[in-house]
Amino acid sequence: MTDNTKTHVILLSCGSFNPITKGHIHMFEKAREYLHKTGKFIVIGGIISPVHDSYGKPGLVPSRHRLTMCQLAVQSSDWIRVDPWECYQDTWQTTCSVLEHHRDLMKRVTGCILSNVNTPSTTPVIGQPQNETQTAIYQNHNTMNNKPTAKNLWGKMSESLGKICCVRPHIDRFTFVDENANLGPAMRYEEIELRILLLCGSDLLESFCIPGLWKDSDMEVIVGDFGIVVVPRDGVDTERIMNHSSVLRKNKDNITVVKDDANHPMSIVSSTKSRLALQHGDGHVVDYLNQTVIDYILQSQLYINASG
């Protein structure tokens, strides 16, 4: 498959990130590597979306700290960014609504239609700009038929997002996209299929099987319309989990389970273990957190008590 016939993917991870760990970033890297190896996908970007303060989880530090720690954790990455939209809302948002927000946002930024996983592969998903009279951002004045690459696709979208910045107190370094802003001219990406997939661990997959925890309608949208990429913890039987839920069984083709030939321990994803290590002065905290994140935690005196 050529790059233009592969599905272009943006990985979206929602969670507390309280704090963000090396394991969270490792999940992005493992998922991208695996999706590329399948030969069907090109991962062009990753988005970290920390949960709203009103989520109500014990020990959840304010979002301004969690956003800053996330930004520090990805500052050396050229494809993962931190998005504060969820934190800036009036109240807690469902995972479904966060996915829909980013889908609608990308639709406006590109000026084109994004697919969900059930769109027929023969249909050009990003094909016709919404406004044909505008000049395409990716217009090549020398060779008009040149196609955009995955790298400049994400780069141009990130650049467009960065131009629409709403400065907020204490976290002015973050880009906030104003949904009412004029995003300017539409991009033209002919025959490029773009999807936003939810990146998660096997614990979230297991939570789909807990009666009453998720709305059936939300599960249908998350798994049926968007699709998920699961990076399982060691020893977790994802097949058994999927067979335990009718929604997961029905949409099994929309669930990609990352298989890893090497034995990479995923325990460092645990924010709980990181907080306990910080509270007990455990030197192994450096195995869980980036040094820049540790420095910020100590400077801000976070997680110094045993709550949460």
Side-chain angles (χ1 to χ4, degrees):
M1 298 177 70
T2 65
D3 283 358
N4 280 353
T5 58
K6 294 178 181 178
T7 299
H8 289 60
V9 168
I10 295 173
L11 295 171
L12 171 66
S13 180
C14 300
S16 300
F17 301 106
N18 188 43
I20 188 169
T21 69
K22 289 180 178 180
H24 290 123
I25 306 302
H26 187 43
M27 285 178 62
F28 274 95
E29 299 291 350
K30 284 184 68 175
R32 181 173 72 159
E33 180 183 5
Y34 181 77
L35 290 174
H36 286 178
K37 282 182 178 179
T38 67
K40 301 176 183 178
F41 304 97
I42 297 178
V43 178
I44 64 170
I47 299 173
I48 293 173
S49 181
V51 76
H52 193 274
D53 286 342
S54 65
Y55 181 56
K57 191 173 185 178
L60 186 68
V61 302
S63 59
R64 69 178 186 274
H65 291 306
R66 291 182 287 115
L67 284 167
T68 300
M69 288 186 286
C70 287
Q71 187 67 27
L72 290 169
V74 303
Q75 62 184 353
S76 62
S77 175
D78 62 355
W79 69 281
I80 306 172
R81 70 177 180 86
V82 182
D83 190 279
W85 177 84
E86 191 175 349
C87 293
Y88 285 163
Q89 301 312 296
D90 292 334
T91 187
W92 170 76
Q93 302 293 307
T94 65
T95 300
C96 184
S97 66
V98 176
L99 281 163
E100 290 174 335
H101 160 74
H102 285 284
R103 178 198 60 197
D104 295 343
L105 179 60
M106 289 299 110
K107 191 184 299 182
R108 294 189 64 208
V109 168
T110 61
C112 307
I113 299 173
L114 276 73
S115 82
N116 59 34
V117 287
N118 294 318
T119 302
S121 59
T122 55
T123 304
V125 178
I126 298 184
Q128 297 299 323
Q130 293 174 352
N131 189 340
E132 289 285 357
T133 62
Q134 294 177 336
T135 303
I137 290 178
Y138 269 117
Q139 179 172 309
N140 186 318
H141 295 285
N142 297 321
T143 309
M144 293 295 292
N145 292 325
N146 283 0
K147 306 289 187 179
T149 66
K151 183 176 181 180
N152 62 26
L153 174 64
W154 179 244
K156 182 55 68 174
M157 286 195 293
S158 294
E159 178 185 329
S160 298
L161 295 176
K163 290 178 180 177
I164 314 160
C165 181
C166 178
V167 178
R168 298 295 175 104
H170 306 298
I171 40 181
D172 55 307
R173 76 186 69 183
F174 297 98
T175 299
F176 178 80
V177 178
D178 183 353
E179 292 182 342
N180 298 315
N182 181 2
L183 296 182
M187 300 179 188
R188 184 188 300 273
Y189 300 120
E190 296 180 358
E191 298 178 0
I192 290 180
E193 186 176 2
L194 174 62
R195 291 174 181 164
I196 298 176
L197 301 180
L198 180 67
L199 175 65
C200 65
S202 49
D203 51 346
L204 187 140
L205 194 67
E206 287 181 294
S207 74
F208 284 149
C209 303
I210 300 175
L213 185 61
W214 294 83
K215 290 183 180 179
D216 287 346
S217 57
D218 281 5
M219 288 177 60
E220 288 284 356
V221 171
I222 293 169
V223 188
D225 288 349
F226 286 92
I228 60 178
V229 179
V230 184
V231 181
R233 304 282 179 94
D234 292 339
V236 173
D237 187 349
T238 53
E239 191 70 23
R240 179 192 61 79
I241 296 171
M242 287 188 284
N243 287 333
H244 195 67
S245 163
S246 60
V247 175
L248 297 180
R249 280 198 309 272
K250 182 176 69 173
N251 296 286
K252 196 175 282 190
D253 290 343
N254 299 343
I255 302 172
T256 300
V257 178
V258 175
K259 299 178 176 63
D260 192 2
D261 295 332
N263 184 24
H264 289 139
M266 293 302 295
S267 60
I268 54 174
V269 172
S270 174
S271 295
T272 301
K273 289 186 177 181
S274 303
R275 293 195 300 272
L276 288 172
L278 288 163
Q279 290 160 10
H280 297 146
D282 187 345
H284 289 294
V285 70
V286 297
D287 296 330
Y288 306 149
L289 307 177
N290 290 335
Q291 188 60 51
T292 52
V293 175
I294 295 173
D295 292 343
Y296 180 84
I297 289 171
L298 296 177
Q299 177 186 350
S300 304
Q301 296 187 309
L302 304 176
Y303 312 116
I304 58 175
N305 58 48
S307 65

